[in-house]
Amino acid sequence: MNFSENFEAKLFLSRVHQDISGADLKSGALCLKTDLKGRTQQRKLLVKDNFDCFVSCKTTIDGILVYIESKLKQIEDNLEGSETSHLFNLMQGVNSRASCAFKPLFERQAQTEKIRSVQGMLQRFRTLFNLPSTICGSSSKGEHDLAVREYKKAM
């Protein structure tokens, strides 16, 4: 098994890739190493480009964790803290902070859905939107029958 601690690469290659030449295996290994290096660079670039977002998320998550831990400590210290209504209020506070943290993501998702909806509507009616330029193009070429056909097809 290739995920076992006793995995032997040579035995695996000799059984699974027995019909492939050594040169092809070396070429494939080189391609895999190159691809791995490229993906590593992409990952580093992604982290570098979005480092401020990662830090912001980490800070927000840490803040929520500290808030929850402080509220749990208050509950443990307070005999009345174990009441259901008190826990409910605390959970609403946590929910409110989480909503504030993720609100921009939800807004972007809603904007994306609106854009996709409009794009789908435009796609459905693209022949109607393209009709004037199609008719003008056909008329300018002297193909009046084609222009009339395009008009009738759209109606």
Side-chain angles (χ1 to χ4, degrees):
M1 293 292 170
N2 57 0
F3 52 83
S4 137
E5 290 182 17
N6 300 328
F7 176 71
E8 294 183 34
K10 291 181 181 179
L11 180 63
F12 175 79
L13 290 174
S14 67
R15 287 191 178 165
V16 175
H17 298 288
Q18 61 188 353
D19 296 332
I20 300 173
S21 69
D24 288 342
L25 287 174
K26 286 181 183 177
S27 171
L30 181 63
C31 287
L32 287 173
K33 285 179 185 178
T34 304
D35 187 45
L36 182 61
K37 286 180 184 176
R39 290 178 191 265
T40 301
Q41 291 295 61
Q42 288 174 343
R43 186 174 57 243
K44 286 179 182 178
L45 185 61
L46 176 70
V47 170
K48 182 180 176 185
D49 290 346
N50 296 296
F51 187 73
D52 56 337
C53 293
F54 289 123
V55 171
S56 174
C57 286
K58 172 77 167 106
T59 304
T60 302
I61 291 169
D62 288 346
I64 291 171
L65 182 62
V66 167
Y67 180 75
I68 290 172
E69 287 174 348
S70 70
K71 292 302 177 182
L72 287 175
K73 179 88 171 124
Q74 286 178 0
I75 290 170
E76 290 172 359
D77 294 343
N78 185 359
L79 296 176
E80 296 175 6
S82 60
E83 292 178 10
T84 306
S85 61
H86 186 67
L87 287 174
F88 179 75
N89 292 335
L90 290 175
M91 288 306 296
Q92 280 186 323
V94 169
N95 191 22
S96 172
R97 289 189 70 176
S99 294
C100 289
F102 295 107
K103 185 178 180 181
L105 292 174
F106 293 136
E107 288 174 351
R108 282 190 215 127
Q109 182 181 13
Q111 288 174 346
T112 302
E113 291 302 320
K114 286 179 185 176
I115 290 171
R116 283 189 181 138
S117 173
V118 169
Q119 188 179 23
M121 189 265 313
L122 290 174
Q123 190 68 21
R124 282 193 306 264
F125 295 108
R126 76 170 176 246
T127 54
L128 189 60
F129 293 131
N130 293 335
L131 185 61
S133 62
T134 304
I135 290 174
C136 288
S138 298
S139 295
S140 67
K141 293 178 186 176
E143 299 172 342
H144 301 292
D145 292 338
L146 180 62
V148 169
R149 251 185 293 151
E150 289 292 328
Y151 177 77
K152 287 182 179 180
K153 184 169 59 170
M155 295 303 148

